[in-house]
Structures are given as structure tokens and as C-alpha cells.
Amino acid sequence: MDLIVQSPFTEIAALLVMAAAIGFLGIILRQPLIVSFIAVGLIAGPSVLDMVHSDEQISLLSELGIAVLLFLVGIKLDVKLIRSLGAVSLLTGLGQVAFTSIFGFLIGLALGLGAVTSLYVAVALTFSSTIIIVKLLSDKREIDSLHGQIALGFLIVQDLVVVLAMIVLSAIGIGSAEDGHGGGSVTTVLLSGVAMVALVVLFVRYVANPLTERLARAPELLVIFAIAMAAMFAAIGDIVGLGKEVGGLLAGVALASTPYRETIAARLAPLRDFLLLFFFIALGSALDLSLLGSHVTGAIVFSIFVLIGNPLIVLAIMGAMGYRKRTGFLAGLTVAQISEFSLIFVAMGVSLGHVQEDALGLVTMVGLVTIAASTYMITYSHQLYALFERFLGVFERRGTPREPSEAGAHRDDGPKVIIFGLGRFGTAIGMRLHKRGIKVLGVDFNPLAVRRWRELGLETEFGDATDPEFIAELPLPRAEWIVSTVPIHPTGLSHEDTRTTLIQLTRSSGFRGRIAVASHHPRDTEELFGSGADLVLEPFQDAADRAVDLLCGAAEEERTEIPAIDTEEHQAS
């Protein structure tokens, strides 16, 4: 046992094994990993097994995980996307934040919490988990539905509120730490924040696109660069007083407008999940179960408030704006939980001395209850709507003026054909489809090919056809065809057929259309059909067949116009 205690590597290995086992149990129970990870921390902590002793190592991994998490939030905050937010996303997001903050604060005071603690808890309850919601909606293939799109919109609004809250919290924390000299310190923090934002703007304007295009030629280097950006900005933010969280988020914003942001996000998602494991382990191991027990009543009250109050306010706002009760109900269920940001936010307050450890325990209990419950609520959302439909008429305006146009807009936006591989063959197919008025999306892992397609005026994404996270982000439900013209280059001892992998990933991500793949070897045809391909294209054979058809057609045409030559006479001559 002493060996386990004295060896950080052995300790972390044991934690990983425990996380895998409990995570597997959580999957069986259809729970998100955040619940399983916090449970790992509780079990490994002093209240149960008392096996967490490598505090410095786990804390370092935890801080890096938070930086990467906020980096990935920032990389989704594209300025163009923020500008395109509709009124429903803005009003619903701000309305839900205001409602939860005000009534959460009043509930905290009624439960006997101090004013500052009540404020922290109330703000923490406003954040919903983008990661969990996107995962659940993607699993249900509702990410491109009307309520899914609206939910994503107000999640972005919540992310912006997170940014402002953390910046304000960091400034207040620095000010209060200076014992009466906070004015100058707050000014310094604000000036540092302005300088970092200006640096991000200059980077986006002059450096981001050309630099990432060069780095994308070596995808591994692009990922290393992204991690370096997250860590560097987090360190700078920590030095100037903004905090690692704000620094990491600004690093993501710096790369949000590049064509490679989806690939960066997809490649870093597994690293984020791995590192956040240690944040939740550190959080769970620091919690005293007896301390949690003292807040059972408060946790129950706040959990009911989040599970019922948040969906109702979203339903009311969307109903007032002219959406159907069904759309409002399904969108409202997505905010019936708090997120990992809620725990990070309160943890910042604890580190700044604004609130006590028991506040973090309270919010953690609320997180465990609401995340677990809302997972089932979103999973069985349609059954719940059928159960409560007769009570929801008050939330629907007559005529629902916003619904038809919005629904129509979301139905026709997506590409009909997605082409993987933008070489000569893929480009030729894409151009011909485009000329026929068919909307096409091209995907390639070569930045030069992506640039050529954009110069031709075609829509394209930079990404890896074998990356599950990237494939899941594509607009697959609206597409009718997927075409793979990716060349196969056997290398090394193991040979992975990209075409087979792409077929498996797209089907598992919910694609129900038809799949065509290119093959340069006739012996691969049967195998590709067996893997699920609906059509196998053989460029050389198809071109030869077309050439023969043209030649024969031309010959037949020639025979009708020119008198036939007598065969025997022709041979004699």
C-alpha cells in the first residue's frame, strides 16, 4: 500500500482504471461521463478509499484540462456565428440567465445562505452544459432540428455570459486581494484584458489564417500548436490576473475564424475529456461526504428549481415569440441542468476567498442531480411532451407565426451531396453537381485542396474522414449522398481502408442516405459493397466505358450520314 501512495504514476493508473470501470457502468445507466468522473473522485477521496495523494500532479492536469475546455468553447465562438444569432436565441438565452439568477438568488437567501454565496450559486445555476446537450441531441439525431438549432443558439449566449462572468470575477478577485488598493489593481486587470483582446484581434486579422494553413500540412503540428496556444494564453491570463480560464478562452477565439477550427476541436476533444477527468477527480476527492449531507435540503430545492424553472422560462419566452409549444418544450428541456462551468465558476470563488467550500459542495450536489435527471428528460423528451401536452396550451400563441418560416429555413439549408477527397476526380464531380444546381459540401485533409475549392466558389470543410468527432459535426441528416474519392495509399504493416472507416462512421453518426466510393482496383468492389457501399465508382473503367459509348455512338451517327463501303471491295482495295 505504501508503494501505491508513494508512486504518482501507479496512483494515476489506478484512478484511470477506476474511471474506466465506473464510466462503463455509467454508460449502462445512460449517464454522461461527468457524473461518473465525480463519482470516481468521491470514491477515491478521503471519505471512502483515501487513495488520492498526488495532489500537485492531479492539480496540474486539472488546470490544463480547464484551459483546453475553455479553449474549445472559445474556438466555437466565431464572430460570424455570433452575428447570425436570431432574436429567439438571444432573448431566450438572456431571459433564462436573468430568470435563473434573480430567483436563484432569492431562493439562496430564503435557505439562509449569505448574499455573496447566494449570488455565486445563482449565477452558477444559469450555465447549461454545451458538451452534454450537443452529445445527447447528436445521439438522437436532433442537432439539426428546429429546437436543436435554437438550443445551440442560446447555449452560445450562455457561453458569452460565462466569459463576462469570469472576467468580472477575476477583476473583483484581484481588487479584493489588495486590501483597499483594489482600484488600481482592477484597472490593471482591465487594461491587461484590453491588451489581450487587442492581441487576439491582430492575430485573427493578420496571422491566424496563413499560419494555420501552413501548420495544417502537418496535422500533428497543428494540434500541438493549438495546445500550445491554449496553455500560453492561460499562463498569460494567470500572470496578468484574468485567470487561466479567460486566457484559455481567448486562445480559442483567436482560432475561431480559421477554416481548421472544426478539425482542431475534433482532435482536442478526447484530450479535453481525459484532462477533465482529473478536474472532476480533484473536485470529488476534495469533497467531504458529511459536508455534502448538510446541504441535502438546499440541493433538492435548487435541483427542482433548475429541472422545472429553467424549461418553463424557455417555454414561456419562445411561446411569446410565436413558436409552437412542442418546439419550446423540447428546447427548454436542454437547459434543465447545470454544467461543468458551474463547478469551475464556484471553484474560482472558493480560491478567491469569496465563498466557503460548502458552497462548492452544494453546487456539486445540484450538478449531480440535474445532470443525471436531465439526461433522461432529453432522452425521453418526446414521451414527456406527449404526457404534458394538454397542460402546455397556455404557452402557445394562436397561429404560431414564427414556426413555419423557421422550420422551412432549417429544412433546406444543408448540402445534398458531401464529397470526401477533393482531388481531380472529386473536384470534377463537385463542379458538375454544382452546375446542375445541387448543393455540395467538400471535405479534405489537404489545406491546398480546400483552398482550391473555395476559390472555385464551392463550400468546403477541412477535416479528417476517419475522425469520429469531425464526422459527427457534419450536416449528415440533410444529405442524400456521400461520395468518397479519397485515394488509398497502403503504408506500413497495418493498412486501414479509409473508405470502409468512412462508411462505418457516417452510418453510426446517423446518415441514412446512399454512399458511393471510388475504387481503382476491381478486386475491391465486392468488399466495398459488403462494407455497406451503395455504389462503387471505378474512374478508369467508367471513363473507358463512357469513351466507348461516345465512340460507338459517333460511329453509328457516321454510318447514317456516309454511305457504307462494300466490305469485300474495301478489303480488296
Side-chain angles (χ1 to χ4, degrees):
M1 187 68 182
D2 291 338
L3 178 62
I4 295 178
V5 172
Q6 293 174 3
S7 172
F9 183 86
T10 306
E11 179 181 320
I12 291 176
L15 290 173
L16 291 175
V17 171
M18 184 183 298
I22 295 179
F24 180 71
L25 179 61
I27 289 175
I28 294 175
L29 298 176
R30 305 193 70 172
Q31 289 300 309
L33 287 178
I34 180 176
V35 175
S36 301
F37 289 170
I38 294 177
V40 171
L42 289 171
I43 295 172
S47 299
V48 184
L49 299 180
D50 192 20
M51 59 181 292
V52 178
H53 300 282
S54 303
D55 296 330
E56 293 184 4
Q57 292 85 350
I58 291 177
S59 176
L60 176 61
L61 293 171
S62 168
E63 291 175 355
L64 186 57
I66 293 172
V68 172
L69 170 66
L70 284 154
F71 171 84
L72 292 180
V73 172
I75 208 170
K76 295 290 186 180
L77 296 180
D78 188 2
V79 175
K80 297 177 183 176
L81 185 60
I82 295 172
R83 288 176 181 170
S84 68
L85 286 178
V88 61
S89 296
L90 184 63
L91 292 178
T92 305
L94 293 179
Q96 182 263 321
V97 168
F99 169 84
T100 306
S101 299
I102 294 171
F103 284 91
F105 178 73
L106 295 177
I107 291 173
L109 293 179
L111 290 172
L113 302 177
V116 176
T117 302
S118 297
L119 181 60
Y120 264 91
V121 172
V123 173
L125 298 183
T126 65
F127 307 144
S128 301
S129 178
T130 303
I131 298 172
I132 294 173
I133 292 171
V134 170
K135 180 68 168 63
L136 291 173
L137 291 179
S138 298
D139 290 346
K140 294 186 67 181
R141 302 180 182 90
E142 294 180 359
I143 198 70
D144 291 314
S145 64
L146 177 58
H147 68 272
Q149 293 292 310
I150 294 173
L152 289 178
F154 56 66
L155 285 172
I156 293 174
V157 174
Q158 287 186 358
D159 290 339
L160 294 175
V161 173
V162 170
V163 177
L164 295 175
M166 288 186 172
I167 290 175
V168 171
L169 183 60
S170 298
I172 293 175
I174 292 295
S176 63
E178 295 294 331
D179 297 325
H181 302 286
S185 298
V186 172
T187 302
T188 301
V189 172
L190 292 177
L191 290 176
S192 300
V194 171
M196 288 190 70
V197 171
L199 177 63
V200 168
V201 171
L202 292 174
F203 182 85
V204 171
R205 179 68 179 84
Y206 298 105
V207 181
N209 282 346
L211 178 59
T212 53
E213 183 174 326
R214 293 294 297 270
L215 291 170
R217 299 176 186 177
E220 296 83 0
L221 185 59
L222 180 64
V223 173
I224 294 296
F225 169 75
I227 298 172
M229 281 278 291
M232 181 182 69
F233 271 72
I236 294 174
D238 192 42
I239 292 172
V240 302
L242 286 171
K244 301 180 185 71
E245 297 84 1
V246 176
L249 189 135
L250 288 176
V253 172
L255 298 177
S257 60
T258 67
Y260 312 105
R261 67 176 192 151
E262 295 296 342
T263 295
I264 293 173
R267 288 296 183 95
L268 288 187
L271 177 64
R272 172 203 64 201
D273 297 338
F274 173 74
L275 292 174
L276 280 180
L277 163 65
F278 295 98
F279 168 76
F280 293 118
I281 286 177
L283 175 64
S285 63
L287 295 175
D288 187 348
L289 291 179
S290 62
L291 190 66
L292 293 179
S294 64
H295 288 291
V296 170
T297 302
I300 292 174
V301 173
F302 279 120
S303 297
I304 294 174
F305 169 65
V306 171
L307 291 169
I308 298 177
N310 281 356
L312 284 179
I313 188 61
V314 170
L315 183 58
I317 294 173
M318 291 183 62
M321 295 185 67
Y323 287 89
R324 292 194 179 106
K325 57 187 179 182
R326 180 180 183 275
T327 304
F329 182 84
L330 296 178
L333 290 183
T334 62
V335 295
Q337 92 284 114
I338 66 174
S339 77
E340 59 277 8
F341 289 114
S342 305
L343 307 180
I344 293 171
F345 181 78
V346 178
M348 287 180 66
V350 173
S351 65
L352 293 171
H354 294 172
V355 294
Q356 300 298 317
E357 287 278 353
D358 57 351
L360 182 57
L362 171 62
V363 174
T364 301
M365 283 195 68
V366 175
L368 290 171
V369 173
T370 57
I371 290 171
S374 67
T375 298
Y376 290 102
M377 291 168 66
I378 296 174
T379 301
Y380 299 103
S381 57
H382 298 283
Q383 291 89 333
L384 286 174
Y385 175 73
L387 182 63
F388 293 107
E389 179 182 6
R390 62 182 181 275
F391 305 111
L392 302 178
V394 67
F395 296 105
E396 182 174 285
R397 286 170 54 187
R398 182 173 299 175
T400 57
R402 292 294 296 275
E403 188 90 357
S405 61
E406 291 285 345
H410 284 288
R411 256 198 312 268
D412 300 328
D413 285 345
K416 298 298 183 184
V417 180
I418 302 177
I419 300 177
F420 290 84
L422 307 183
R424 287 180 294 178
F425 188 41
T427 300
I429 294 175
M431 288 297 295
R432 283 158 176 77
L433 290 171
H434 180 68
K435 287 179 180 179
R436 295 193 182 191
I438 298 174
K439 190 169 184 180
V440 182
L441 172 65
V443 178
D444 204 294
F445 210 32
N446 183 343
L448 297 180
V450 170
R451 184 204 289 178
R452 283 196 299 267
W453 257 55
R454 290 201 172 113
E455 291 172 350
L456 292 172
L458 299 174
E459 186 179 353
T460 183
E461 289 281 356
F462 175 84
D464 186 354
T466 62
D467 190 328
E469 295 281 346
F470 174 75
I471 295 297
E473 293 288 333
L474 293 174
L476 297 176
R478 300 172 187 159
E480 298 176 1
W481 277 96
I482 282 178
V483 180
S484 172
T485 65
V486 178
I488 304 301
H489 303 293
T491 56
L493 295 175
S494 67
H495 168 46
E496 179 184 16
D497 193 328
T498 305
R499 300 166 298 184
T500 303
T501 303
L502 179 61
I503 292 170
Q504 295 170 351
L505 292 179
T506 51
R507 291 302 188 198
S508 64
S509 297
F511 178 66
R512 293 293 177 265
R514 305 182 71 189
I515 299 175
V517 295
S519 173
H520 297 287
H521 302 286
R523 64 178 179 271
D524 293 342
T525 301
E526 290 301 322
E527 182 178 343
L528 291 170
F529 277 125
S531 299
D534 298 289
L535 175 65
V536 176
L537 304 172
E538 298 180 348
F540 297 117
Q541 299 296 330
D542 295 342
D545 291 339
R546 176 62 175 159
V548 170
D549 289 340
L550 290 172
L551 291 171
C552 291
E556 291 293 337
E557 205 173 296
E558 188 176 348
R559 287 196 186 99
T560 61
E561 297 177 359
I562 302 175
I565 301 173
D566 183 79
T567 305
E568 292 183 1
E569 182 180 343
H570 180 65
Q571 288 176 345
S573 64

